[in-house]
Each structure stands twice: as structure tokens, then as C-alpha cells.
Amino acid sequence: MTQPSNSLHIENKPLRERVLDVLREAIVSGEFKPGQPLVEMDIAAQLGISRAPLREALQFLSHEGLVEVTPYRGTVVKPLTRTDIEELYSLRSVLETFALQRIIAQNQPENVAQLRQCYEEMLAAAQVGDLKLVNNIDRQFHDLLIDLSQHGLLTATWNTVSLRVRQVMALRNRKNRDITQIAYNHLPIIEAIGQADEPLATRLIQEHISSSGDLIAELWDDVPPEDGQS
Amino acid sequence: MTQPSNSLHIENKPLRERVLDVLREAIVSGEFKPGQPLVEMDIAAQLGISRAPLREALQFLSHEGLVEVTPYRGTVVKPLTRTDIEELYSLRSVLETFALQRIIAQNQPENVAQLRQCYEEMLAAAQVGDLKLVNNIDRQFHDLLIDLSQHGLLTATWNTVSLRVRQVMALRNRKNRDITQIAYNHLPIIEAIGQADEPLATRLIQEHISSSGDLIAELWDDVPPEDGQS
DNA sequence: CGATTGTCAATTGTCGACAATCGACAAATT
DNA sequence: AATTTGTCGATTGTCGACAATTGACAATCG
């Protein structure tokens, strides 16, 4: 996340990590649907690798909560229940609130500037109507919030939560109302941080997150996509 | 954690999980010191198994933050810096506060009763002077707090944090002051929950945790045990 | 002598093959 | 016919061997 961007560097990650990236992206993007079984032999053949690194990647994914491994039974993409989503967003709210409080405590104008710049980009994208870009920047915004908190363990925890949030957002049928409104919603939070008004910032971020979380959870069909067999 | 305790059940976990338990216990108990390298061949030979399940167990541990895997370089027990400890306890405080708020929101007397019972046992152990037992029950108390919050994702997050807390407690030279005082400290928290006094309970739990965290962090020698090579 | 380059041992990464386990279905027994 | 028992195919779990990569040290060159 804080790559020094040293130019001239070829990727030589172990196979398991590249496999991990591919599978994670497939799940988080919704390409692999919740409940879908992941048969090791098939995937290994499909990727043209052996099962060893694949298995290690699957272990990783199970720790990230994206898949469920049942010994001797197999691996499936973890089903997403409504309760899961509620838990996801409630914990997310807690983590972001914590990050926000730390940022305010640091009281560094540079931080606010970064957040504000992120906001500007989001607004610009919204005004052009680029929904996908808005969502990406929105994600960047919240990642940045965590990153600025300077808390490694929080960041690590956030990363696993964030993945599943992405998955949820990829799977729901986007009820995207006013796109620019999405961007506008972030401004008060930034301002509250800038004024070091912790109670206000806390209230705003919690409303911001839980409102979107509730919206998604309410509309969630449990067990929505019976996989294409039946 | 919520085992139905069906009698008559032989353990048939995959090898990797048994290995995982063994290694985790070794690290968390302080038997494996931070920074200590974990050479796959050696450990596999020592356990009389092949490297495949061992590697999968090591992957697990790296996700739990107990070891650090560097590709092609090897695995070491993750060093514990003072910053790590501060982060650990601050996040712990956040998580427990969240759990506590949820418990209060549930408003079920049964929960308070369970906590109180846990407290009674701790007090009894303290009065007998059984430090080890007090620590175990203390851990149970905080696990129970999380468990009662009825939040699966929180519980999962807690478990990884909790492991490292155990590790820290195993590694420090116990400055155990008044043992009974440790037990007494928990009572006000329980009472605050019983009276649904959220602000008070929140304040108490945060003081409870951060005080012990600060105490440990202050006394922490960074890079303490140069392994016996020099 | 300092810096660069080549070589090597140690360790991890990957593979293919074999063993163990599970659920489901068939067969047998009452 | 219902229940138990046996068998089977599919899939995961484990193993041992081989390939790839790293850092350290030695050899070479200026």
C-alpha cells in the first residue's frame, strides 16, 4: 500500500500469491458467486498449475473470510447472508470511527488536504457521470482514512473487512441514486476532521456508513443466486 | 467456542489443523520467541510429517499475524515491537467497547449473570493466589464479552487480536501486583452493564484495557532476546 | 585494495502420485 | 418396506522428489 514506486522492478511473486490475487479478484468482483464450489482439481487445471500453491491460496482466502473450507468436503465461496452484511457494516463503522479519531488526534493539516483532494476527484468523476470511477475513488477515500490513522493492525483488519465490502457492492443490484450526492456526502466529514470536531465527525461517519449498510441489507435477498445448475 | 459437547467424538482434524494448533500454542505461550526462524524442514522432521501440511499451517499463522513469511527467505515468529503492543491494545479497546455497547443494547439479564459468574470464579481463584488460573479466567471473561455481543465478524477479528495479547502476556515478566485487585477491577464494568449505563461502561472498559496496555508497553524492551548466537 | 561478478549451499516453491475421507447409492437383512 | 450395512466415485489430504530463488562468500578484474 505504501510501495516506494521504485521504477524498474519486475514482479516475481510466488505462484501462490499470483493465484491468490486472481481468485480474490474473481470473488470480490462477483465473478465467483457466493455458494459456488471451488474444486481444486478443476481450478488447478484451469490455471495450469498444481494443487499445492492453489491450496495455499485457498487457505489465505478462508482467513480473509471469502471462502469456506470444510475438511474433506471442499471449498465454496462463502455465502453472504443479510446478517453477514449487517455485521460487516457495523464493524466497518467501528473501525472507521477509530481511524477518524486517531486522525483528528494527530491534527496534521496534510491529512485533511489529502482527503480533500480525494474528494475533489470523486466529485469530478461524479459530475462526468462515471459511476465506476466514483466507486473506485470512494473506496480509495475510505482506504485513505484508514491509512492516515497510522495503525498497522487496524489497516490489516480493515483490509479483510474491505474486501468483503467490495464483494457486497459488486453483488448488489446498484441502486445508484444521485451520483453526485455520493460525493457530496463526504465533504462534511472532511470538514469536521479539519475542525477537529470529533463528536461531529464521529456522528457523520457512522451515519454515512450505517445508512448505506442498512440500505443494502434491507434489499438483500438471502440465498439469491442458485448457481446455474438446477 | 460453542461446541455442543456431544460426548463420544474422536478428533479427526486434518493434519494441518493439528499442526496449526501445536505451532500456535508454541508461539502464543512464548515457547517460540519472536524473531525465531521457523525452518520448514526442521519442524517437519521434528513433527514427523511432510512439509505440505506444515506450510499450510504456516500460512494460517501468518494471517493471524503470529509469523512473518518472506518469499524464498523463510518464516520467523513475528517480532513484537512496542508499537505493535500499543496498536494491539488500542484496537482491543475499540473491539471490546463495541462488544460492550451491543451487550447493553441487547439488555438481557442472562448476559450480566454470566459475566458476574465469571467474575466470581476469578475472585475465588485470586483469593487462593492461583495466578495462572486468574489469568485464564481473565481471558475467558474478555472472550465472553465478545461472545455475548453476538457478532460473528467481531468474534473472528477478536480471535486474532486475542492470540497476540496472549503472546504478549506470556512474554512479559509478569509484574503482578495485587492479584485480587485484578479481579476487583472487573466488577464495576459488570455493574455498569447491568445498569445499562453505556457511557460509564465504555469509560471503564477503555481505562481497564489501556491502563494494562500502557503498563506493558512502557516496560517493553524492543528487540529483547537476541537469539543465542551473537 | 575496492568493487564487481560468479559460484554455491541452504531454503523455499512447485509438482505429480498416492492415501484417506466423505456422501450417496445399492444391497442385504429383519 | 424400513433400516442397516457395504461399496463406490469424487474430492481432498499427504507425501517425497525436484526446480527455483536467495544471500553469502569466493574469485576476478580494474
Side-chain angles (χ1 to χ4, degrees):
Chain A
M1 203 169 262
T2 354
Q3 195 71 277
S5 76
N6 272 342
S7 55
L8 209 51
H9 179 264
I10 58 173
E11 283 296 343
N12 194 16
K13 288 194 279 191
L15 194 46
R16 67 156 176 276
E17 299 199 11
R18 281 175 296 179
V19 171
L20 178 62
D21 291 340
V22 169
L23 293 183
R24 180 159 45 205
E25 194 56 33
I27 294 174
V28 164
S29 73
E31 186 182 343
F32 286 176
K33 302 279 188 299
Q36 175 175 342
L38 301 176
V39 178
E40 297 178 0
M41 254 180 19
D42 295 352
I43 298 178
Q46 192 173 331
L47 295 176
I49 61 172
S50 85
R51 281 172 49 214
L54 171 62
R55 284 173 60 85
E56 294 182 353
L58 289 177
Q59 302 292 341
F60 249 83
L61 289 174
S62 87
H63 280 296
E64 292 177 337
L66 294 179
V67 305
E68 245 173 5
V69 179
T70 310
Y72 297 106
R73 293 298 316 282
T75 305
V76 300
V77 179
K78 184 164 182 178
L80 264 174
T81 69
R82 176 170 168 163
T83 300
D84 286 331
I85 294 175
E86 288 167 348
E87 291 185 358
L88 199 52
Y89 276 81
S90 62
L91 182 59
R92 178 189 168 176
S93 176
V94 169
L95 297 180
E96 291 204 50
T97 299
F98 181 43
L100 189 145
Q101 290 168 346
R102 284 178 61 94
I103 293 175
I104 291 179
Q106 291 172 218
N107 193 29
Q108 292 179 359
E110 171 61 22
N111 290 345
V112 181
Q114 273 190 261
L115 289 168
R116 191 168 274 126
Q117 184 192 336
C118 198
Y119 165 73
E120 301 290 354
E121 293 174 16
M122 198 190 314
L123 189 58
Q127 285 167 344
V128 181
D130 190 339
L131 178 59
K132 188 161 170 47
L133 186 55
V134 170
N135 284 325
N136 276 340
I137 299 178
D138 181 55
R139 181 153 53 84
Q140 280 179 36
F141 179 86
H142 292 277
D143 284 349
L144 180 59
L145 206 64
I146 300 294
D147 205 38
L148 291 178
S149 75
Q150 301 276 22
H151 192 300
L153 185 55
L154 173 60
T155 302
T157 305
W158 168 256
N159 283 336
T160 80
V161 171
S162 168
L163 282 178
R164 299 180 67 184
V165 171
R166 279 184 65 189
Q167 184 187 18
V168 170
M169 292 185 53
L171 287 172
R172 71 168 165 165
N173 304 1
R174 279 216 146 286
K175 303 279 186 219
N176 42 282
R177 311 144 299 183
D178 191 357
I179 305 182
T180 57
Q181 191 59 43
I182 298 176
Y184 282 139
N185 284 338
H186 292 75
L187 189 53
I189 299 173
I190 299 174
E191 295 304 336
I193 296 175
Q195 294 164 26
D197 187 342
E198 184 186 296
L200 177 60
T202 299
R203 192 168 60 77
L204 289 174
I205 193 91
Q206 287 176 354
E207 283 174 4
H208 178 68
I209 296 170
S210 63
S211 70
S212 59
D214 290 348
L215 192 65
I216 295 173
E218 276 177 24
L219 301 176
W220 195 258
D221 306 319
D222 254 356
V223 196
E226 201 68 28
D227 74 339
Q229 202 72 328
S230 100
Chain B
M1 204 171 260
T2 354
Q3 194 73 279
S5 77
N6 272 342
S7 56
L8 208 49
H9 179 262
I10 58 174
E11 283 296 344
N12 193 17
K13 288 194 280 191
L15 194 45
R16 66 157 177 276
E17 299 199 12
R18 281 175 296 181
V19 172
L20 178 61
D21 291 341
V22 169
L23 293 182
R24 182 162 40 207
E25 193 55 33
I27 294 174
V28 164
S29 72
E31 186 183 342
F32 285 176
K33 301 279 188 300
Q36 175 175 342
L38 301 177
V39 179
E40 297 178 359
M41 254 179 20
D42 295 351
I43 298 178
Q46 192 172 330
L47 295 177
I49 61 171
S50 88
R51 281 172 49 216
L54 172 62
R55 284 174 60 85
E56 294 182 353
L58 289 177
Q59 302 292 340
F60 248 84
L61 289 174
S62 88
H63 279 297
E64 292 178 337
L66 294 179
V67 305
E68 245 173 6
V69 178
T70 310
Y72 297 106
R73 293 299 318 282
T75 304
V76 300
V77 179
K78 184 165 182 178
L80 264 175
T81 68
R82 176 170 167 163
T83 300
D84 287 332
I85 294 175
E86 288 167 349
E87 290 186 357
L88 200 53
Y89 276 81
S90 61
L91 183 60
R92 178 189 168 176
S93 176
V94 169
L95 297 180
E96 291 203 51
T97 299
F98 180 43
L100 187 144
Q101 290 168 346
R102 286 177 60 95
I103 292 174
I104 291 178
Q106 292 173 218
N107 192 28
Q108 292 180 358
E110 171 62 22
N111 291 344
V112 181
Q114 272 190 262
L115 288 168
R116 190 168 276 125
Q117 184 193 336
C118 197
Y119 164 74
E120 300 291 351
E121 292 173 16
M122 198 189 315
L123 189 58
Q127 287 167 343
V128 181
D130 190 338
L131 178 58
K132 188 161 172 46
L133 186 56
V134 169
N135 283 325
N136 276 341
I137 299 178
D138 181 54
R139 181 152 56 84
Q140 279 179 37
F141 179 86
H142 292 276
D143 283 349
L144 180 59
L145 206 64
I146 300 294
D147 206 37
L148 291 178
S149 75
Q150 300 276 22
H151 193 300
L153 185 55
L154 174 59
T155 302
T157 305
W158 168 257
N159 282 337
T160 80
V161 170
S162 168
L163 282 178
R164 299 180 65 185
V165 171
R166 279 185 64 189
Q167 184 187 17
V168 170
M169 290 184 54
L171 286 172
R172 72 169 165 165
N173 304 3
R174 279 217 147 283
K175 303 280 186 217
N176 41 283
R177 310 143 299 182
D178 190 356
I179 306 182
T180 57
Q181 191 59 43
I182 298 176
Y184 282 139
N185 284 337
H186 292 75
L187 189 53
I189 298 173
I190 299 175
E191 295 303 338
I193 296 175
Q195 295 164 25
D197 187 343
E198 184 186 297
L200 177 61
T202 299
R203 191 168 61 77
L204 288 174
I205 193 91
Q206 287 175 355
E207 283 173 5
H208 178 68
I209 295 169
S210 62
S211 70
S212 58
D214 290 348
L215 192 65
I216 295 172
E218 277 176 24
L219 301 176
W220 194 259
D221 308 318
D222 255 354
V223 195
E226 200 70 28
D227 74 341
Q229 203 71 329
S230 101

